[in-house]
Amino acid sequence: MARKKTDAFEESLKKLQAIVEKMERGDLPLEDAVESYTEGMRLAQACHQKLEEAEARVRMLMKDTEGDWKPVPFEVTPGGTGEED
Amino acid sequence: MTFSLLHPIPGDETGVFSVSELNSRIRSILEGSLPFVWVKGEISNFRIPASGHHYFTLKDQQSQIRAVFFRAQNRRLRFVPEDGLQVVCQGRITVYEPRGEYQLVVEIMEPEGLGAMQLAFEQLKKRLEAEGLFDSSRKRPLPVCPRRIAIVTSPTGAAIRDMLKMLQRSPYPLEVTVIPVRVQGKEAAGEIASALAVVDSLRERFSWDLAVIGRGGGSIEDLWPFNEEVVARALAACEVPIISAVGHEIDFSISDLVADLRAPTPTAAAEWIVARLESVQRELERCREQATARMKRRVEDCGHRLRLLQGGLKDPRRRLDDLRITLDDRVERLRLAWRRDLDRRRTLEDHLVGRLKLCHPNRRIEPFRERIAQLRKEISHRFLNRLSFLRHQLEGTAGKLEMLSPLAVLSRGYSIAYRLKDGRIIRRSSEVELDDTVRVQLAEGAMECRVTARE
């Protein structure tokens, strides 16, 4: 079973964490620190954007007349409890 | 219609049956009188030939009966019969005329004691486990931040309602796609498996990073689809990481075991997603704050150091004055040091000269010289003493010698006679013969005389 590659988000988050760690050690020359900080802020922003990029919506997959799967808006049916079908 | 063996039977004229006729009669009687029986016993000699029918022997301690479970009927069986299994069967007796054998044709089979479902569950679990389907090594890593989620469940059930409600707490927008399936009944397992295949095939198009399958709690019958092999296989085949969220907290379904994560309930699955996103949010926030704080401190440090350095910069003329004063100061110090050094050297020299004087060789020779003079005096003194002593002794001895000298006796008129031939002094007359020549020493001169007489 082929494992899925770690996604780009995880990659960015790890990079960001590494940068913060590096800055915490405090032995960076000022120029490098500024560079790291800029890169860190860029990564944090990118992560944030990735998190925000999904559209907040709930849809349901339905087969159309051609037999293709199409998402349609989904509304929760207010119903009793525990009924599954 | 009932038959009796005692009843007159139509045969040939003699009333004798052929084998076929007899078996045919037996078949009519048995099948007619035992069309429907319940029987319990232990399965042995179980085998499934290519036809898919089950052949086995049902036995108890004393007896046994052949049995067949045809494919059309055994397909509905949830577990796989095996040797040693205690079962209750419902069926009818049939006779196989060509061989004159009778057997039980099974319609329904139930395991005794353990429920059929439980048994089926245990059997499937054992088999899939042996295949490695539950191995943690083949679980897919779950996304750090799930954003697009496929949910395979009933669109009208409590599960989707509960999950959507919980997912609203997410700090980030979530895109949820419901893949509607029935979650109970005969068709459910097939539908769930197909839905999982759909999730797998459309994962690129919808960018799903996580799937959830599940339903709310129910009886073991209700939850059964999640224990079906087709579902387990579909779960294992799907490339999208999957959370299984089936029913109660207590029971594990096969789905739970195959899925990449097991949540005790659908709500718990949604809660896990929200918690995951919240922790990502916290982590991002932490990174940002920490980096900013660090940078701020760094900049402040630099500013501080800069101010310090600025304070250290002075007017060059003042610097020159400083240098002059420093120079004077240094020269003065040098002079003092020089003088101190000189003094020290002088003192040292005096000291050394004093010590050197104490060491002059004369001081050491003088005692020897005195000693020599003394010794010299002593020696000459002793020598003189010795000389005068010897002189005295010599004088004494010479006097004595004088007294003893024969010449002195001779001078008084005595003479000494020697035998001429051997020079011996003659002290008795017997020492000479007549006519011997004798030398006579006188005080002055000597003479040779012939012995003419002896007395």
Side-chain angles (χ1 to χ4, degrees):
Chain A
M1 189 75 41
R3 278 171 172 278
K4 206 184 157 203
K5 281 185 295 179
T6 50
D7 58 23
F9 178 86
E10 201 174 337
E11 207 69 8
S12 301
L13 187 60
K14 273 186 183 155
K15 261 190 215 158
L16 176 58
Q17 285 168 326
I19 282 172
V20 171
E21 248 172 64
K22 200 162 69 175
M23 290 185 70
E24 279 296 291
R25 283 202 300 273
D27 49 4
L28 280 180
L30 185 61
E31 255 176 63
D32 294 357
V34 170
E35 207 169 285
S36 292
Y37 179 72
T38 313
E39 173 69 2
M41 285 300 114
R42 193 189 64 72
L43 284 169
Q45 192 54 37
C47 284
H48 205 73
Q49 263 169 13
K50 280 227 171 73
L51 285 164
E52 297 286 355
E53 79 187 5
E55 203 177 326
R57 59 181 171 182
V58 182
R59 299 182 296 175
M60 181 162 71
L61 272 197
M62 294 296 272
K63 250 187 186 153
D64 63 13
T65 45
E66 277 102 56
D68 198 15
W69 290 99
K70 282 273 153 46
V72 297
F74 177 80
E75 284 296 326
V76 169
T77 48
T81 51
E83 284 174 7
E84 291 296 334
D85 272 302
Chain B
M1 192 165 70
T2 56
F3 295 88
S4 165
L5 283 175
L6 301 175
H7 196 270
I9 297 158
D12 64 3
E13 302 79 36
T14 58
V16 176
F17 283 107
S18 68
V19 173
S20 308
E21 284 167 347
L22 182 58
N23 273 341
S24 179
R25 285 300 301 276
I26 290 173
R27 177 181 174 150
S28 311
I29 293 164
L30 282 181
E31 291 185 1
S33 58
L34 293 170
F36 180 85
V37 289
W38 281 101
V39 57
K40 63 175 182 178
E42 183 188 320
I43 292 175
S44 68
N45 299 322
F46 184 84
R47 66 199 176 86
I48 307 175
S51 61
H53 308 318
H54 295 177
Y55 291 96
F56 57 98
T57 306
L58 208 57
K59 64 174 187 183
D60 62 16
Q61 304 232 308
Q62 283 83 37
S63 189
Q64 60 183 41
I65 183 172
R66 283 170 191 273
V68 61
F69 197 3
F70 289 114
R71 194 168 126 87
Q73 283 75 41
N74 72 36
R75 269 168 61 190
R76 289 196 300 266
L77 209 55
R78 281 175 165 150
F79 62 96
V80 184
E82 58 190 24
D83 283 355
L85 195 67
Q86 292 287 339
V87 291
V88 180
C89 298
Q90 188 224 72
R92 58 199 160 80
I93 300 298
T94 63
V95 175
Y96 183 51
E97 282 181 57
R99 300 179 69 147
E101 287 172 358
Y102 68 92
Q103 62 189 347
L104 178 72
V105 174
V106 179
E107 299 282 347
I108 295 169
M109 183 189 279
E110 286 287 339
E112 219 184 1
L114 208 62
M117 293 198 161
Q118 193 59 38
L119 183 65
F121 177 83
E122 295 300 337
Q123 284 179 336
L124 181 60
K125 186 177 158 189
K126 210 162 124 188
R127 194 148 51 83
L128 296 181
E129 191 163 26
E131 270 185 49
L133 236 62
F134 307 155
D135 287 359
S136 55
S137 62
R138 55 156 299 284
K139 306 266 183 202
R140 292 167 200 81
L142 295 153
V144 172
C145 73
R147 283 153 290 168
R148 297 186 181 86
I149 301 155
I151 300 180
V152 177
T153 192
S154 158
T156 56
I160 189 66
R161 241 183 2 251
D162 294 347
M163 278 193 276
L164 290 176
K165 200 166 150 197
M166 175 57 73
L167 288 177
Q168 279 173 0
R169 291 200 209 163
S170 165
Y172 298 106
L174 287 174
E175 205 173 295
V176 175
T177 312
V178 179
I179 294 94
V181 291
R182 275 177 280 182
V183 291
Q184 63 194 48
K186 271 186 197 144
E187 314 302 327
E191 282 186 16
I192 294 167
S194 305
L196 285 170
V198 167
V199 168
D200 196 33
S201 63
L202 299 182
R203 66 179 197 273
E204 301 285 346
R205 195 171 123 197
F206 286 89
S207 303
W208 286 317
D209 41 32
L210 184 68
V212 181
I213 67 163
R215 55 155 292 150
S219 68
I220 184 168
E221 291 275 359
D222 291 341
L223 306 184
W224 194 254
F226 295 91
N227 286 329
E228 295 266 19
E229 188 169 353
V230 276
V231 173
R233 300 270 172 213
L235 276 169
C238 186
E239 287 294 322
V240 180
I242 301 172
I243 302 179
S244 165
V246 181
H248 306 112
E249 308 220 354
I250 319 132
D251 302 316
F252 273 72
S253 64
I254 296 289
S255 292
D256 290 340
L257 298 169
V258 183
D260 303 301
L261 181 71
R262 183 240 176 196
T265 62
T267 305
E271 207 171 358
W272 181 89
I273 293 166
V274 171
R276 191 90 158 179
L277 288 168
E278 280 172 349
S279 94
V280 164
Q281 187 189 34
R282 271 198 306 275
E283 180 59 14
L284 270 179
E285 211 41 54
R286 185 192 72 84
C287 284
R288 223 199 291 235
E289 274 171 16
Q290 222 144 320
T292 304
R294 189 75 216 177
M295 201 61 228
K296 205 174 148 204
R297 204 152 62 232
R298 191 64 198 262
V299 168
E300 278 169 4
D301 280 358
C302 286
H304 183 62
R305 273 169 57 195
L306 196 61
R307 276 194 299 281
L308 276 181
L309 289 171
Q310 271 174 342
L313 288 175
K314 285 179 185 167
D315 188 315
R317 270 170 306 176
R318 273 178 61 195
R319 178 94 182 118
L320 207 58
D321 290 345
D322 282 355
L323 284 174
R324 272 195 201 113
I325 294 167
T326 310
L327 188 61
D328 279 356
D329 178 53
R330 292 284 153 82
V331 168
E332 179 58 21
R333 274 161 67 185
L334 195 62
R335 217 168 49 77
L336 282 174
W338 171 248
R339 177 166 296 165
R340 259 204 310 282
D341 190 55
L342 207 61
D343 287 352
R344 208 177 62 239
R345 278 167 199 275
R346 266 186 200 140
T347 314
L348 185 64
E349 196 185 326
D350 288 351
H351 175 69
L352 287 174
V353 166
R355 276 173 65 185
L356 199 59
K357 273 182 184 158
L358 285 175
C359 295
H360 195 283
N362 275 349
R363 283 179 54 88
R364 300 183 60 180
I365 291 170
E366 203 55 46
F368 289 108
R369 196 176 272 162
E370 280 169 17
R371 178 84 180 130
I372 288 169
Q374 197 188 342
L375 285 173
R376 194 176 276 162
K377 219 186 276 175
E378 209 165 297
I379 283 172
S380 85
H381 182 67
R382 283 202 187 168
F383 180 72
L384 287 176
N385 277 354
R386 183 75 184 160
L387 207 61
S388 84
F389 170 73
L390 285 175
R391 191 176 287 143
H392 283 298
Q393 220 172 28
L394 188 61
E395 278 166 11
T397 310
K400 276 179 198 164
L401 206 58
E402 192 72 17
M403 302 253 291
L404 289 174
S405 171
L407 293 175
V409 178
L410 292 179
S411 65
R412 285 200 306 269
Y414 298 97
S415 56
I416 303 165
Y418 301 89
R419 261 190 337 213
L420 197 63
K421 57 180 179 189
D422 56 5
R424 282 183 64 117
I425 293 172
I426 304 159
R427 285 181 178 88
R428 289 171 193 94
S429 55
S430 58
E431 284 173 4
V432 290
E433 302 293 325
L434 283 177
D435 285 331
D436 276 354
T437 311
V438 174
R439 181 177 170 93
V440 179
Q441 178 75 44
L442 303 169
E444 280 179 39
M447 55 193 180
E448 285 179 11
C449 311
R450 179 123 5 130
V451 179
T452 58
R454 283 189 313 180
E455 289 172 8

